[in-house]
Amino acid sequence: MYSEELAALSYPPDCPFKTSRAVELRRQIRSLGLVVRELPARPATRAELERFHRSAYLDELQRAAAGELRVEGLHMGLGTPETPVFRDLWSYAVWAAGASLRGIELLLSGEATVVFNPWGGFHHAMADRASGFCYVNDIVLACDLAAAAGKRVLCLDVDAHHGDGQQTAFYRRRDVLTMSLHESGKTLFPWGGFEDEIGEGEGRGFNVNIPVPAETYDEAYLTAFYQAAWPVIRGFHGDLIVLELGMDALAGDPLTHLRLSNNVFAEIVGRLRDLRVPMLVTGGGGYHEQNTVRGWTLAWQVLCGDDGHDWSAGFGGDFLESSEWIGGLRDRTRPPTPEQRAAVEPAIHETINRVRHLVFPFHGLRVE
């Protein structure tokens, strides 16, 4: 999804969230000759936004973007370093949300099987509160639109931060399975997303949290994915997938404490692709711009059906305009230190055991 209207909008220059990542992703995809069909986004309508967000909150967002930050807006989370008030606030939020909604429309109509909206992924926005660089929750709106069309939706979030917005929105529903793999709330905002948060009422067992400790590396993360997440994903049999593909779990991200390479996300995206289920992929976190763009480009390569050798490696850092790593799209892999293993493995296995015991019975899965 791409529109010049979106490309012209941005967050404040001193904000860690850089909308320029999506523009650079487009440039890199084109320069590498990856197959892509580009379609324009559209702004979300007020009626679409109000399917999740409260009207009074949307009013305050518009006032703030126009330069009027009231006490009511402050109480709704506006005006903090993580939720700055700026001129493009409203326009960017509604265009990014509209891009995700347009993506769902394309999937539902059969015009596309995979849609990538790198402008979206604002998973912290609540119905009446801004949080963590997020003002309008395009993830929730997209999942709700698909569910309203009768689809069973898998909402998978691999951002380093817990997907608390979609958890809150769908906590009592089972037509949307919300699953978040994230750095533990013991060490990272938004300080939640623990294993025992599994939903309520009809939704009990359909909210899955898989927190991993700081310093988690590829092998440990994939162990958690395959032993705790993958059986539930397979057992749910979703009709449509919404994947929040934040890249702030990559090693070197300035705001998180995980140590992953982008090979992890290439593998996960490949497994989801092989399910042959329509999929909307969104952006999200990722505060090291070069690493984020390279990770998204690699993910798009996999989504296009090429997850074999890294043919881009021959171009090197000059072609990819990266001074930090000249090996192409795929990150180099670094084995964990003995100290990392000793700190991470026990926590990973405890999380796996807790998820299996708390969630698996709701999906007819054996707890071993």
Side-chain angles (χ1 to χ4, degrees):
M1 304 300 299
Y2 181 83
S3 288
E4 292 296 335
E5 292 89 345
L6 267 169
L9 302 171
S10 66
Y11 278 51
D14 59 348
C15 181
F17 187 89
K18 304 298 183 186
T19 59
S20 56
R21 302 171 308 168
V23 177
E24 175 59 19
L25 170 68
R26 179 186 188 234
R27 188 204 66 79
Q28 193 166 111
I29 284 174
R30 288 184 161 198
S31 68
L32 292 174
L34 290 172
V35 176
V36 60
R37 177 187 175 201
E38 192 170 275
L39 292 174
R42 62 166 179 82
T45 67
R46 179 70 180 232
E48 288 173 327
L49 298 175
E50 288 183 358
R51 287 185 62 88
F52 175 58
H53 292 288
R54 294 181 182 171
S55 180
Y57 170 67
L58 297 174
D59 290 341
E60 292 304 322
L61 289 183
Q62 289 185 279
R63 289 192 182 99
E68 181 186 357
L69 178 57
R70 307 193 309 171
V71 171
E72 291 85 349
L74 293 173
H75 290 162
M76 293 174 176
L78 298 176
T80 75
E82 290 76 33
T83 51
V85 170
F86 55 101
R87 182 190 61 187
D88 292 343
L89 185 160
W90 175 257
S91 296
Y92 187 88
V94 298
W95 272 92
S100 286
L101 291 170
R102 179 66 180 132
I104 293 294
E105 290 167 349
L106 292 166
L107 297 177
L108 292 175
S109 69
E111 295 178 64
T113 54
V114 176
V115 176
F116 189 10
N117 173 25
W119 311 93
F122 294 102
H123 60 168
H124 296 310
M126 299 294 178
D128 59 357
R129 186 172 182 83
S131 178
F133 311 129
C134 303
Y135 303 90
V136 168
N137 198 315
D138 63 299
I139 299 289
V140 169
L141 295 172
C143 291
D144 186 64
L145 179 60
K151 303 298 183 183
R152 286 167 55 83
V153 182
L154 166 65
C155 180
L156 175 62
D157 190 325
V158 295
D159 194 288
H161 298 85
H162 173 229
D164 54 341
Q166 55 262 32
Q167 170 171 304
T168 301
F170 301 112
Y171 207 59
R172 300 184 64 86
R173 290 171 56 172
R174 62 172 52 208
D175 53 346
V176 179
L177 172 67
T178 50
M179 178 180 288
S180 179
L181 286 84
H182 52 266
E183 182 178 333
S184 172
K186 296 176 182 178
T187 56
L188 191 68
F189 172 89
W191 319 114
F194 298 106
E195 300 94 331
D196 59 355
E197 299 168 28
I198 65 170
E200 294 176 349
E202 287 294 311
R204 189 164 173 80
F206 288 80
N207 186 80
V208 185
N209 285 304
I210 306 174
V212 299
E215 300 296 321
T216 291
Y217 45 90
D218 289 11
E219 178 189 340
Y221 189 94
L222 287 174
T223 296
F225 176 77
Y226 281 118
Q227 294 188 16
W230 189 243
V232 179
I233 292 172
R234 293 293 302 272
F236 179 65
H237 298 296
D239 303 311
L240 187 146
I241 297 171
V242 175
L243 172 64
E244 203 273 22
L245 191 60
M247 284 285 162
D248 48 4
L250 294 176
D253 192 279
L255 299 189
T256 68
H257 316 96
L258 302 182
R259 298 292 179 262
L260 303 185
S261 77
N262 62 24
N263 301 291
V264 164
F265 300 115
E267 180 162 343
I268 290 174
V269 165
R271 294 307 300 268
L272 295 175
R273 179 202 64 196
D274 292 344
L275 292 175
R276 300 186 181 279
V277 173
M279 178 165 34
L280 170 68
V281 182
T282 75
Y287 306 97
H288 186 298
E289 188 167 358
Q290 288 182 340
N291 290 351
T292 297
V293 171
R294 193 172 65 247
W296 282 345
T297 306
L298 174 61
W300 182 250
Q301 178 186 353
V302 173
L303 289 169
C304 289
D306 182 2
D307 52 2
H309 67 286
D310 187 10
W311 49 264
S312 65
F315 293 111
D318 291 337
F319 186 80
L320 297 175
E321 296 184 2
S322 169
S323 61
E324 297 188 20
W325 170 229
I326 60 172
L329 294 179
R330 286 189 176 269
D331 290 338
R332 74 182 88 190
T333 56
R334 295 184 176 92
T337 66
E339 292 78 14
Q340 267 184 295
R341 286 190 179 276
V344 169
E345 284 189 0
I348 290 287
H349 289 300
E350 180 181 355
T351 291
I352 291 169
N353 286 334
R354 293 198 70 196
V355 171
R356 293 172 73 94
H357 280 87
L358 287 166
V359 174
F360 276 28
F362 291 95
H363 300 273
L365 300 171
R366 293 180 57 188
V367 179
E368 298 175 354

